[in-house]
Amino acid sequence: MKKEHIDLFFATLKAANPTPATELEYTSVFELLVAVLLSAQATDVGVNKATRKLFAVANTPQAMLDLGLERLEGSIKTIGLYHSKARHLMETCRILVEQHGGQVPRTREALEALPGVGRKTASVVLNTGFGEATIAVDTHIFRVSNRTGLAPGKTPLEVEQKLLKRIPPEYLADAHHWLVLLGRYVCTARKPLCWKCAVAPWCDYQPKTPPPPA
């Protein structure tokens, strides 16, 4: 994608959705951290269904510890890999209580030191929870960045670094959400819906997919 087209690309996304947000449901940074940790290899819809009940009884690190591993597993058993996620979450809560006063830390280093929290999860928390201009490269953003030519790369880290360099500063805080939503609903994995894509004029993907026959 040409540099001069990137501003038009993001200006169009902003015009269509001025205040994008994650589809995960949360009311605190801790709840966001829990939801993102649980969302690996799971849908946001599935995570929200489980966390609505979970957060009603345990919405702080100490409350989660008090809940106990068995009850936590019972609350999230509809989510894939729930055994390992529950163990990671309990250990994360212990660290938050013992080392961070029950608060979610605001640095990447401290976040990535938490069990089950990798670079992508840390980036989501930093961006969505704390408003930092970071990009969490999930499968949707990786696909969109490569397919459109916005930030081609062979690894998520390479794509992330290119995105941070290429996206104009005024769009960086919300870029993560715009790109996720674009990949989830329009620039889909099997076949992009080019005929209904507002940013198709600036996308490098060829040939553009035509609409289905009437």
Side-chain angles (χ1 to χ4, degrees):
M1 186 183 296
K2 294 180 180 178
K3 186 176 181 180
E4 58 266 29
H5 289 168
I6 294 176
D7 190 82
L8 293 168
F9 181 93
F10 281 101
T12 302
L13 293 176
K14 181 176 182 177
N17 186 3
T19 55
T22 178
E23 293 183 321
L24 291 171
E25 296 173 0
Y26 69 98
T27 61
S28 68
V29 179
F30 173 69
E31 288 186 0
L32 174 65
L33 173 62
V34 173
V36 178
L37 193 154
L38 296 177
S39 69
Q41 299 183 44
T43 65
D44 288 357
V45 172
V47 171
N48 290 337
K49 186 176 180 181
T51 56
R52 282 178 204 135
K53 296 178 180 178
L54 174 62
F55 293 154
V57 295
N59 64 351
T60 67
Q62 187 60 58
M64 202 76 73
L65 291 172
D66 293 342
L67 189 67
L69 181 61
E70 186 175 344
R71 290 180 64 192
L72 175 58
E73 286 188 341
S75 298
I76 65 171
K77 63 183 179 182
T78 56
I79 299 174
L81 307 174
Y82 76 94
H83 282 300
S84 61
K85 289 178 180 178
R87 290 195 300 272
H88 285 152
L89 183 50
M90 291 298 284
E91 183 62 15
T92 284
C93 288
R94 184 189 65 77
I95 293 172
L96 292 178
V97 169
E98 293 180 358
Q99 300 181 20
H100 300 286
Q103 302 298 310
V104 177
R106 296 191 62 143
T107 68
R108 179 179 295 280
E109 182 181 21
L111 284 168
E112 291 187 17
L114 299 172
V117 177
R119 184 174 184 86
K120 183 181 75 172
T121 297
S123 292
V124 173
V125 173
L126 289 170
N127 176 255
T128 304
F130 294 122
E132 294 193 16
T134 60
I135 300 284
V137 179
D138 65 357
T139 55
H140 296 302
I141 292 182
F142 187 81
R143 177 175 66 256
V144 169
S145 297
N146 276 284
R147 183 182 278 164
T148 63
L150 174 62
K154 294 181 179 179
T155 66
L157 181 58
E158 183 182 356
V159 168
E160 176 189 333
Q161 291 170 338
K162 285 188 176 181
L163 286 171
L164 292 173
K165 290 180 180 178
R166 301 201 80 199
I167 296 173
E170 62 268 32
Y171 301 118
L172 200 50
D174 292 320
H176 168 82
H177 298 303
W178 286 320
L179 294 175
V180 167
L181 294 170
L182 181 64
R184 184 172 290 164
Y185 296 112
V186 181
C187 197
T188 50
R190 289 192 176 184
K191 188 177 182 181
L193 311 181
C194 299
W195 70 91
K196 62 188 300 185
C197 179
V199 292
W202 304 287
C203 166
D204 290 350
Y205 181 73
Q206 296 294 339
K208 298 290 193 290
T209 57

